[in-house]
Amino acid sequence: MATSSALQLFAVAPEGPVELALEGAQGTVHDLLERLPGGVYSALRTFGHNRFLWLDRHLERTERSMLGMGWKRPLDRARLSAALHRVVSDYPLADARVRFDVLEEPVDFLGVRAELFIALSPFVAVPEEFLREGVRVEIAPDLHREAPRIKTTEFVRRRKPLPLGTKERYEHIMLDEERRILECSSSNIAFVRAGAIVSAGDGVLEGITALVLRHVAAQLGLRWLDERLPLAELRSVDEAFLSSSARGVVPIVDVAGERVGSGRVGGVTRRLTAAYLEFAEREARTAQ
């Protein structure tokens, strides 16, 4: 079914995934699905070629997003899971970055009618230098989620103008009306203060990797507090890190020119990163 191309796009028809023709396509899974109508989505990566970490949580969050949008149709989890398993198992590279989109109603797209779509692109690990030395993030004062608990493709389009991924500008932080830190444009963010982990407990997207980290932190004996940190109190924290399903844990050493702690990757972040990777290797499962 699948070609040897590293960029792949599928419509999930009733009979299974149908690969769609891509001419001159390049970029990421987000670029591949940009032409679709608005919907809800989830983005993640594979481990060991065809395994996912907490895929059920991604599907459950998608179902909640569909309900939040007021849709009446349920998610066909069995069909989507079967399609995910098939396309990642056939993928020609070691691991893939994956995004699946769910639309309210089926649409005709590139010759196939469907309401479920899957995009694959090569999984590219966070550079070792970034993990070793940390990254800098900026502030996006005008970027907000209208409904933080609903993961919409419309928000992906709104955040696209923000540059991402470089060591000097890896992500952008969103703030609430009182200039307290919520999350980043494509990841959750947390801080280490006096040995405890602090992150916004509400008003943010429910990140699956953040949920994994809470679980892992408890196993390490680390406290996790739900608290919106005021931007003005950034100097009170010792460490910071972001988390996402495609990137795992990435240490932050600078926020818009303000050094975090010592300006170096801290011990709690290193312990949490190591425990997360061990957990993912142990707990990742195939979709079927």
Side-chain angles (χ1 to χ4, degrees):
M1 173 193 60
T3 69
S4 61
S5 172
L7 289 170
Q8 297 179 357
L9 179 61
F10 301 86
V12 184
E15 65 273 16
V18 178
E19 188 166 5
L20 303 177
L22 298 174
E23 295 183 6
Q26 54 186 315
T28 69
V29 292
H30 301 303
D31 299 315
L32 293 181
L33 290 163
E34 194 171 45
R35 286 186 287 166
L36 284 176
V40 299
Y41 79 102
S42 199
L44 59 167
R45 58 156 294 190
T46 61
F47 294 85
H49 188 63
N50 67 346
R51 297 184 297 138
F52 298 98
L53 182 60
W54 282 15
L55 176 61
D56 283 349
R57 296 294 188 98
H58 284 271
L59 298 176
E60 290 164 5
R61 184 181 63 186
T62 300
E63 290 174 325
R64 289 193 294 272
S65 292
M66 293 168 67
L67 287 172
M69 295 285 282
W71 299 358
K72 305 301 182 184
R73 178 179 53 79
L75 176 66
D76 191 338
R77 290 179 63 161
R79 181 157 59 101
L80 178 55
S81 295
L84 285 168
H85 180 68
R86 184 175 176 187
V87 300
V88 299
S89 295
D90 287 348
Y91 193 62
L93 301 183
D95 277 300
R97 187 170 181 177
V98 182
R99 173 174 145 179
F100 61 82
D101 280 29
V102 185
L103 309 182
E104 183 175 11
E105 299 292 343
V107 297
D108 293 309
F109 186 68
L110 297 179
V112 180
R113 185 168 181 80
E115 81 286 356
L116 299 174
F117 293 85
I118 300 171
L120 305 180
S121 65
F123 169 71
V124 179
V126 177
E128 285 296 326
E129 177 189 357
F130 294 10
L131 300 176
R132 184 177 63 252
E133 300 178 4
V135 299
R136 172 177 175 163
V137 297
E138 293 290 344
I139 307 295
D142 300 322
L143 185 65
H144 303 281
R145 292 186 190 271
E146 299 301 327
R149 292 291 180 176
I150 303 176
K151 195 172 177 70
T152 67
T153 58
E154 182 273 335
F155 182 77
V156 177
R157 295 182 175 93
R158 288 203 289 121
R159 78 182 185 207
K160 187 175 182 179
L162 297 173
L164 299 172
T166 66
K167 186 178 181 182
E168 294 74 24
R169 187 171 292 184
Y170 194 78
E171 256 282 21
H172 290 77
I173 290 175
M174 294 186 289
L175 308 173
D176 66 11
E177 296 82 358
E178 299 176 33
R179 293 185 63 77
R180 296 176 299 179
I181 296 173
L182 292 171
E183 59 184 324
C184 295
S185 64
S186 63
S187 59
N188 292 103
I189 188 170
F191 303 89
V192 180
R193 184 180 61 194
I197 301 170
V198 179
S199 67
D202 61 356
V204 300
L205 183 71
E206 181 187 48
I208 306 304
T209 299
L211 292 177
V212 173
L213 292 177
R214 284 175 180 263
H215 178 79
V216 170
Q219 294 180 332
L220 294 176
L222 296 169
R223 290 187 303 147
W224 195 298
L225 308 176
D226 291 333
E227 178 185 330
R228 296 186 186 185
L229 179 76
L231 186 62
E233 296 181 15
L234 190 62
R235 293 183 181 181
S236 70
V237 305
D238 304 305
E239 305 174 37
F241 59 87
L242 62 82
S243 62
S244 77
S245 293
R247 291 168 287 185
V249 183
V250 182
I252 298 169
V253 295
D254 185 292
V255 175
E258 182 76 43
R259 188 179 70 181
V260 176
S262 66
R264 298 180 179 179
V265 180
V268 173
T269 301
R270 292 189 188 279
R271 288 177 61 202
L272 202 58
T273 301
Y276 163 76
L277 292 174
E278 292 174 3
F279 184 85
E281 180 61 31
R282 183 175 67 249
E283 298 295 330
R285 300 286 186 270
T286 60
Q288 284 198 320

